[in-house]
Amino acid sequence: MPETLTLYTAKVCPYAQRAEIALAEAKVPFTRYEIDLQNKPEWYAPKVNPASKVPAIAYGGPQVPPDQPSPESTKLAESLVLVEFIADLYPNANLLPADPVLRAKARFFIDGVSTKLVPAWHNFLQGKGSVEDLYKAVEYLQEQLPAEGGFAVGQYSIADIAITPFLARARVGLINELGAYPEGEGKKVWEALSSGQGRLARFGKYVTDLLNRDSFKATFDEAYITERQKARYANARAQQ
Amino acid sequence: MPAANRLTLYYAADTPFPHRVRLALEEAGAKYDLILIELSNKPDWYAKKVYPLAKVPVLVYGGPALHEDEAPSPEAATITESSVILEFLADLFPDLLPADPVLRAKARFFIKTVDEKFSKTFFKFVIFGGSMDEMLDAVAEMQALLPDTGFAVGAWSIADAAFAPFLVRLESLLRKNFCAFADGVAEKTLTELQAPTFARVWRYLEENVARESMAKTWDETDALAEINRRVVSIQSAAQNNQ
């Protein structure tokens, strides 16, 4: 029987949302504690995560208020490590298929999200990378999607959990034209990524499926993310 | 429990990444075939028939026995990226990771720290004259993750497969005063690493080296010769690009 679990998280953070989606998929009780990333509590780094980032999990130990973590709980960090941890703790959540080859495909897909998609997206957002580089990174992942439909390895898995928060935040930015890319590019790029037509047609279908997932919707506050992105990227174009 | 299907590993002697997979295969007691790819002299068929990016390691699971200049059969699975392969082997051979979810998470955090931090500092130090202090800090960071005794998460696991190949190369290159280091750097670094501050990681290295899996997969002379060939070619390519 799994023990008490506290998730230290922040709504704005895509890495943290990975852990939130995984826990929502598992449908298990846990304590959620929001960390203000711009004003972190002084106890957070020494008592929860020395890297001072979210997400982090405090697992086991006595029942304590989340802002008074116990030294007896195990502290874990790194979003992908936490998602695998949740998959191990709650096998009934089916966050990974049973077949080792499909599990390897899921982990390989995640590697592509980390090493290709996220950097290409950040470069594009900051005006340092071309839209073509972004589309190439997307195509790299698109090639791995099963042609007949479904998620990255067929059934919903940690691979889909890894990518969804980034796509959702990219959508908010692009449809609101927030970023250093030329004004007007944003909506065009989102259309290309999500329409289900053209070069990225398969990926577009995948995006729709990801953003329709209940566990994503339950853990994504679009109004809040929009407001935060507007504040953050208001002057991104002017600074180019 | 033996794997139902054939395992074939494409590997090279110099780089630590295929070594990770060989250690895990040996520790699992797996039956497998090896195909050597000399990265300093890559055969054309490798990119054409096996893996377009022509990197190692590549693990092929299933299909008939493979030899050089042959493509894996369509029904075989081709798995790339050493960390992905390590998790795949842990799925086939459950003894390669503990059953406890907390220890599994610690193993994964350990592997991630090697991949995202240690390995970058290692290559910078060994190939591009990176600072000794940065290298020692990176070793200290990994050491801090080790429990007081035993391996990364107690029993030997894929976390050790991920790290030991780097440590064993670091020690060899320093002891043999590898040509790419500036004068005196190797000796100075080795002296620092032999100090009490690093006693824990030194013991950890010795315990990894003492295992049969390391004896079967590490030939220092061979590896250093190949590292020499590759580093020289990497450095001259970097110079030509300047």
Side-chain angles (χ1 to χ4, degrees):
Chain A
M1 172 86 182
E3 305 181 49
T4 61
L5 192 155
T6 300
L7 177 72
Y8 296 89
T9 181
K11 283 199 290 190
V12 72
C13 177
Y15 298 95
Q17 192 185 5
R18 289 169 162 175
E20 298 212 42
I21 293 174
L23 285 165
E25 286 284 326
K27 297 187 170 55
V28 292
F30 69 97
T31 302
R32 184 190 180 283
Y33 190 81
E34 177 88 11
I35 294 287
D36 180 352
L37 297 176
Q38 293 170 328
N39 189 19
K40 287 173 205 167
E42 43 79 29
W43 49 262
Y44 186 66
K47 296 201 173 166
V48 178
N49 183 7
S52 201
K53 298 189 286 184
V54 292
I57 282 178
Y59 183 70
Q63 288 273 14
V64 289
D67 57 356
Q68 293 166 48
S70 159
E72 288 168 50
S73 58
T74 302
K75 312 299 184 298
L76 299 169
E78 286 303 312
S79 65
L80 297 174
V81 171
L82 298 187
V83 169
E84 292 264 12
F85 176 64
I86 294 161
D88 280 339
L89 274 185
Y90 305 108
N92 292 338
N94 284 315
L95 294 180
L96 272 167
D99 173 22
V101 170
L102 289 179
R103 291 162 78 95
K105 285 197 156 117
R107 288 159 176 150
F108 184 75
F109 188 89
I110 294 173
D111 183 77
V113 173
S114 302
T115 60
K116 295 191 162 38
L117 182 65
V118 171
W121 165 247
H122 283 148
N123 284 339
F124 177 72
L125 180 64
Q126 290 160 13
K128 291 191 229 161
S130 70
V131 69
E132 182 57 28
D133 285 343
L134 175 62
Y135 290 163
K136 285 210 170 80
V138 171
E139 275 177 330
Y140 175 83
L141 294 176
Q142 178 173 254
E143 268 162 28
Q144 296 172 44
L145 299 175
E148 65 274 16
F151 292 104
V153 294
Q155 69 182 67
Y156 194 77
S157 77
I158 61 173
D160 312 300
I161 293 175
I163 194 177
T164 301
F166 289 89
L167 292 177
R169 283 159 184 74
R171 173 181 162 275
V172 167
L174 291 167
I175 65 178
N176 290 291
E177 302 287 348
L178 299 167
Y181 48 83
E183 180 96 32
E185 275 273 284
K187 291 193 186 68
K188 276 196 235 159
V189 170
W190 182 248
E191 176 70 11
L193 293 176
S194 64
S195 69
Q197 310 284 331
R199 179 181 171 186
L200 302 176
R202 177 65 185 94
F203 190 78
K205 168 93 183 54
Y206 178 56
V207 167
T208 304
D209 292 340
L210 292 177
L211 300 185
N212 274 336
R213 190 82 179 172
D214 285 343
S215 57
F216 160 70
K217 293 197 277 199
T219 56
F220 189 68
D221 183 343
E222 181 164 341
Y224 175 80
I225 301 268
T226 304
E227 185 196 311
R228 290 289 300 266
Q229 286 202 14
K230 280 183 174 163
R232 185 168 173 187
Y233 294 108
N235 294 317
R237 221 160 264 129
Q239 282 160 0
Q240 283 291 287
Chain B
M1 176 160 132
N5 293 318
R6 181 180 302 275
L7 291 163
T8 308
L9 176 66
Y10 296 86
Y11 79 108
D14 56 321
T15 160
F17 298 104
H19 193 186
R20 295 173 150 184
V21 180
R22 294 188 67 190
L23 287 171
L25 286 165
E26 283 296 325
E27 290 284 340
K31 208 162 116 39
Y32 61 98
D33 299 323
L34 283 174
I35 299 180
L36 176 67
I37 301 294
E38 269 183 41
L39 297 175
S40 59
N41 188 18
K42 254 181 241 186
D44 289 334
W45 62 262
Y46 188 56
K48 287 198 196 111
K49 297 191 175 180
V50 180
Y51 184 37
L53 296 182
K55 297 192 290 181
V56 289
V58 171
L59 186 75
V60 177
Y61 180 63
L66 284 164
H67 310 92
E68 291 184 13
D69 202 11
E70 283 176 2
S73 85
E75 82 250 14
T78 297
I79 303 169
T80 62
E81 291 306 315
S82 64
S83 300
V84 174
I85 298 173
L86 288 179
E87 289 274 3
F88 176 72
L89 291 178
D91 282 337
L92 289 186
F93 304 101
D95 286 347
L96 293 182
L97 264 176
D100 171 32
V102 166
L103 292 178
R104 292 165 79 87
K106 287 185 168 169
R108 287 166 174 144
F109 184 86
F110 193 87
I111 295 172
K112 187 171 258 289
T113 310
V114 179
D115 284 347
E116 291 177 7
K117 295 170 131 198
F118 190 87
S119 68
K120 296 181 166 55
T121 305
F122 172 84
F123 288 120
K124 206 168 134 195
F125 180 64
V126 165
I127 306 176
F128 298 110
S131 98
M132 177 188 79
D133 286 338
E134 257 184 60
M135 188 70 254
L136 294 174
D137 282 348
V139 175
E141 183 176 14
M142 294 308 303
Q143 180 175 252
L145 295 176
L146 295 172
D148 291 338
T149 58
F151 295 98
V153 293
W156 194 95
S157 76
I158 55 171
D160 309 296
F163 186 41
F166 283 91
L167 265 192
V168 93
R169 278 161 182 74
L170 181 63
E171 193 275 336
S172 288
L173 292 166
L174 291 174
R175 180 172 26 88
K176 294 288 191 176
N177 196 13
F178 183 55
C179 60
F181 292 126
D183 276 348
V185 167
E187 200 186 325
K188 196 155 172 250
T189 311
L190 196 56
T191 307
E192 295 283 340
L193 283 173
Q194 285 162 343
T197 341
F198 289 105
R200 178 64 187 100
V201 73
W202 202 256
R203 185 161 35 99
Y204 171 80
L205 171 60
E206 287 174 343
E207 288 172 7
N208 275 285
V209 168
R211 291 176 84 84
E212 213 187 312
S213 57
M214 188 64 78
K216 286 196 174 160
T217 61
W218 176 243
D219 178 334
E220 183 180 76
T221 311
D222 220 41
L224 290 183
E226 187 58 22
I227 289 172
N228 199 33
R229 277 191 287 271
R230 278 207 72 217
V231 167
V232 164
S233 80
I234 290 171
Q235 281 178 332
S236 70
Q239 270 172 359
N240 291 340
N241 286 339
Q242 279 177 352

